[in-house]
Amino acid sequence: MWEITASLHRLQSRLGRWAHAAWYREARTAIAAQHLGVTVRTLLCPLFPRATYFPDFLTPAEAADGLRSGLDAVLDTPPARIRHEIGLLAKVRKVPPDMYRVADDDVRAHLVGALRRYHDAVIAPYGDRMQARVDAECARRGRDLLHGGADGLLRGLGPAMRWRPPVLEVEYVGGVDRDLLLGGRGLLLIPSYFCWQKPISFADPDLPPVLLYPLAPAGPTSRPRPAEIPLAALLGRTRAAVLRASTYGATNSEIARAVSVSAANASHHTTVLRDSGLIASHRHANTVLHTLTPLGAALLRLPDQAGRTAGAVDAGPG
């Protein structure tokens, strides 16, 4: 639900468009092909404006259990809450008078159907690459937490967030000045593919505290043409094991232990996988952390095919 929100913001602004240029082109094409243009323009964008406020009920906490749970929560939102939050939206943006009809069961059912169709058209096709980026982010943040505790995790969230214990200072969307007191509650950090530059949170301080923050833009990747990648340099039991060991992020020494090869051998395999576009390498303190790229993650989702290929070809040292 948060990615639906942030992606609609990308459609409404040139900010960050360069980082999502391919998605933007494909999304516009998909929206036209699915005849969603009017729905996006007259229903979704007015409800999800790129503004200092949009209704909290559109990004329910239940969505942590999946899109269906999130959409069900939107459908079950009390009408009084919907009218109240649309009233708050009307204070920062002009809203069509009939927007209050979203509180009606039939209109809300139409909204949920539109959100599902929009997700299927423009979000789902990017699911693999989005998940790979989020997995890599979780691997890095997990290591920050492991090595530096909560301080290490919070210090690494920048650049729009600065940890000054016991306060996390955030450059919030629209320059809004507010304090969110946790009062002993946990803060759910949500890395987002489509969120751009500045984090987002619920406006209602009584809701479970969340902070949606942008993933760092993906750097340029060198993608060799298939003809330039010898199959023997890509496939084999050992290299497949190295790829699997990188699923949740791993250093060369950790890969070496997991696959039972020398550190030099592990470094050789990760270099080949990185040059082939299957893993990405990020410097982390004095080590290099290897994580899957979308292509590498997609390859691992084909276990039967990968297993047969790996058994047929076992090339390279180790």
Side-chain angles (χ1 to χ4, degrees):
M1 298 297 290
W2 281 107
E3 294 292 23
I4 288 175
T5 300
S7 70
L8 285 165
H9 292 170
R10 298 285 66 74
L11 288 177
Q12 297 175 66
S13 171
R14 291 185 177 275
L15 291 177
R17 189 167 294 176
W18 64 269
H20 299 286
W23 172 84
Y24 180 78
R25 290 191 299 269
E26 293 174 17
R28 287 175 59 89
T29 299
I31 287 170
Q34 296 297 320
H35 307 290
L36 282 169
V38 173
T39 298
V40 170
R41 187 171 61 255
T42 63
L43 176 62
L44 299 187
C45 286
L47 266 176
F48 294 83
R50 186 179 172 274
T52 56
Y53 176 83
F54 60 86
D56 286 332
F57 80 89
L58 295 169
T59 50
E62 291 85 348
D65 295 326
L67 180 63
R68 176 178 294 180
S69 297
L71 294 176
D72 287 345
V74 171
L75 201 58
D76 294 338
T77 306
R81 176 184 172 186
I82 294 174
R83 286 190 288 268
H84 170 70
E85 293 188 359
I86 291 178
L88 294 177
L89 176 61
K91 293 180 179 180
V92 299
R93 292 290 289 266
K94 184 177 180 179
V95 301
D98 60 355
M99 185 176 290
Y100 287 91
R101 291 192 58 224
V102 173
D104 299 342
D105 290 346
D106 58 335
V107 179
R108 194 153 69 258
H110 173 65
L111 168 63
V112 166
L115 290 171
R116 167 65 75 178
R117 291 177 59 208
Y118 175 83
H119 176 273
D120 290 347
V122 307
I123 304 292
Y126 269 66
D128 285 348
R129 69 195 77 184
M130 291 168 63
Q131 191 61 54
R133 291 277 306 282
V134 170
D135 287 346
E137 170 71 6
C138 290
R140 291 195 292 272
R141 299 302 161 225
R143 285 174 178 271
D144 288 342
L145 182 64
L146 180 64
H147 294 298
D151 282 339
L153 170 64
L154 295 171
R155 277 198 304 269
L157 289 175
M161 294 172 279
R162 292 173 295 277
W163 175 234
R164 303 181 192 273
V167 176
L168 180 64
E169 296 180 352
V170 177
E171 295 178 17
Y172 201 67
V173 172
V176 173
D177 187 6
R178 60 177 294 205
D179 291 331
L180 176 59
L181 303 179
L182 297 182
R185 298 175 296 173
L187 176 66
L188 178 62
L189 298 171
I190 307 175
S192 168
Y193 185 84
F194 287 109
C195 183
W196 181 250
Q197 288 189 329
K198 295 185 179 180
I200 304 173
S201 184
F202 286 132
D204 186 348
D206 293 328
L207 291 173
V210 302
L211 191 64
L212 185 86
Y213 70 95
L215 293 165
T221 56
S222 174
R223 280 197 156 181
R225 294 189 298 272
E228 298 173 339
I229 306 173
L231 290 178
L234 284 175
L235 304 177
R237 294 187 186 89
T238 303
R239 200 155 289 143
V242 170
L243 188 65
R244 283 193 294 272
S246 304
T247 299
Y248 299 107
T251 64
N252 278 331
S253 59
E254 290 168 339
I255 289 172
R257 290 194 296 270
V259 183
S260 298
V261 297
S262 67
N265 209 337
S267 179
H268 167 75
H269 287 303
T270 55
T271 298
V272 173
L273 291 171
R274 181 175 60 251
D275 291 345
S276 303
L278 297 177
I279 65 172
S281 301
H282 319 268
R283 181 157 294 281
H284 182 275
N286 296 324
T287 61
V288 176
L289 181 67
H290 306 291
T291 60
L292 297 179
T293 64
L295 181 61
L299 182 62
L300 286 186
R301 276 190 279 274
L302 301 173
D304 293 338
Q305 180 179 341
R308 287 195 299 270
T309 306
V313 181
D314 188 14

